[in-house]
Amino acid sequence: MTETLLAVPPVVNDVFASVVARNPHEPEFQQAVHEVLVSIAPVLEAHPEFVESGIVERLVEPERQIIFRVPWVDDAGRLHVNRGFRVQFSSVLGPYKGGLRFHPSVNLSIVKFLGFEQIFKNALTGQGIGGGKGGSDFDPHGRSDAEIMRFCQSFMNELYRHLGEHTDVPAGDIGVGAREIGYLFGQYRKITNRHESGMFTGKGVQWGGAEVRTEATGYGAVFFAEEMLAVRGESLEGKRIAVSGSGNVAIYAIAKAWQLGALPVTASDSSGYIVDDAGIDVDLLRQLKEVERVRISEYAARRSSARFVEGARPWEVAVDIALPSATQNELDIDDATALIANGVRAVAEGANMPTTPGAVAAFQDAGVLFGPGKAANAGGVATSALEMSQNASRQRWSFDDSEAKLRQIMKNVHDSAFDAAARYGYAGDYVVGANSAGFERVAHAMLAQGVI
Ligand code: NDP
């Protein structure tokens, strides 16, 4: 396990103790900070100037946190009050950049963990984007389009004053897809009287969106897995793949896995998972999840080669590669043990922090290739940065050109993480590599820009 392998300089323990004391009810945030702090220990050893200038103490405190009331009225005329969040974590490399999540579990801890991770992920892409994240404890499941629209409008009525193409640029995340982004962008345009394309990414391609942004996170996770396998002289050809989730990331990971010759056999949602030994039918999955918005069990009801397993996760299925692509902490030590026993060769995180620390350690100890989310799912935000470039220059690039750029970015992200791990003496450890490469870039910029 990374934690036990690395000698941790005193500053790491001091800062972590302070994070726990100052953020006592935020377990996800503490988990994310711990993972990063432990794995950047070699960078801090090599760069005492980062320690002397308090880079780490400053980084763990968001530049700004916004919490606001979101009142809205449902179709029956009942009033609801949700809570909105935007955590603007670091703008040292560019405008705050990171998605909005609408899910009942959203709270400050989750938004802060996601925002903190986003700083290093965005740095790792090599682009000029800072880190932030936001969302609400609103649950879109079962709501009508009109209710979704009224909620999004109320949410933007407050958030708009904190956004802008040079300030803070949100995108989608869990519960925020094309429909929600349309309503959010529309309300921003109405309030500000500006068609400011670059203030939101993930827009429809007809009104400022970029080709491949929708597909980018899932495609990118598969490209990352391909890069890891290539280091060992292997490919995706013929590999069985377990994917969790059935949203944006999962659907396009499954689609790209097929295109690269693999056999994706699972998908899931919060009710359970489906396994289809004939391979997941992407068109059917999209129809059920993007159009009909029904539970995953419906897939098995409509396809004879599939079965639904209620209340379980797909990690008990024998596969070569696992792509956890639903939510945080959805793959624990028991799941890792089952995957290892079944011969898994590589794990690439499509979701943010889906693998618990114990499970990460189990994979690494067993010699399983492990690609952490801040590297493996960086394709989404990287393509968002391409969308911002196109908006700024009023250009529109083709699908093929954009996909080629995404593929190159994922290779660069892989190589940066791989090289940084080797440089610090942890060859093959992508957790150390991704955190170190991202942190180095952020720390140098903070050093240059002074204590602010
Ligand atoms: P979606 O809302 O499109 O899909 C989320 C999927 O995960 C759904 O199938 C959902 O099932 C399932 N899920 C959500 N919460 C839980 C839970 N608590 N337990 C079990 N299943 C759950 O989201 P995305 O595909 O956009 O995001 C998935 C993950 O990828 C998140 O971790 C996100 O932060 C990360 N990510 C997304 C990016 C993007 O570009 N979209 C970029 C980088 C990372 P159900 O409908 O039943 O809730």
Side-chain angles (χ1 to χ4, degrees), residues 283-366:
D283 292 338
L284 175 58
L285 193 62
R286 289 191 62 187
Q287 169 66 23
L288 297 175
K289 286 299 186 178
E290 294 179 347
V291 181
E292 299 180 32
R293 298 180 190 273
V294 293
R295 300 281 78 194
I296 197 84
S297 54
E298 192 57 28
Y299 181 99
R302 296 196 200 172
R303 193 156 149 99
S304 60
S305 54
R307 65 189 164 85
F308 172 61
V309 183
E310 191 175 357
R313 305 192 282 215
W315 316 127
E316 57 199 24
V317 177
V319 290
D320 304 298
I321 292 164
L323 303 175
S325 305
T327 192
Q328 64 274 0
N329 294 325
E330 52 151 327
L331 195 167
D332 63 20
I333 181 75
D334 294 337
D335 300 317
T337 305
L339 282 163
I340 292 165
N342 282 326
V344 73
R345 311 195 48 72
V347 178
E349 294 186 326
N352 285 311
M353 209 169 73
T355 316
T356 63
V360 175
F363 287 133
Q364 292 183 327
D365 289 347

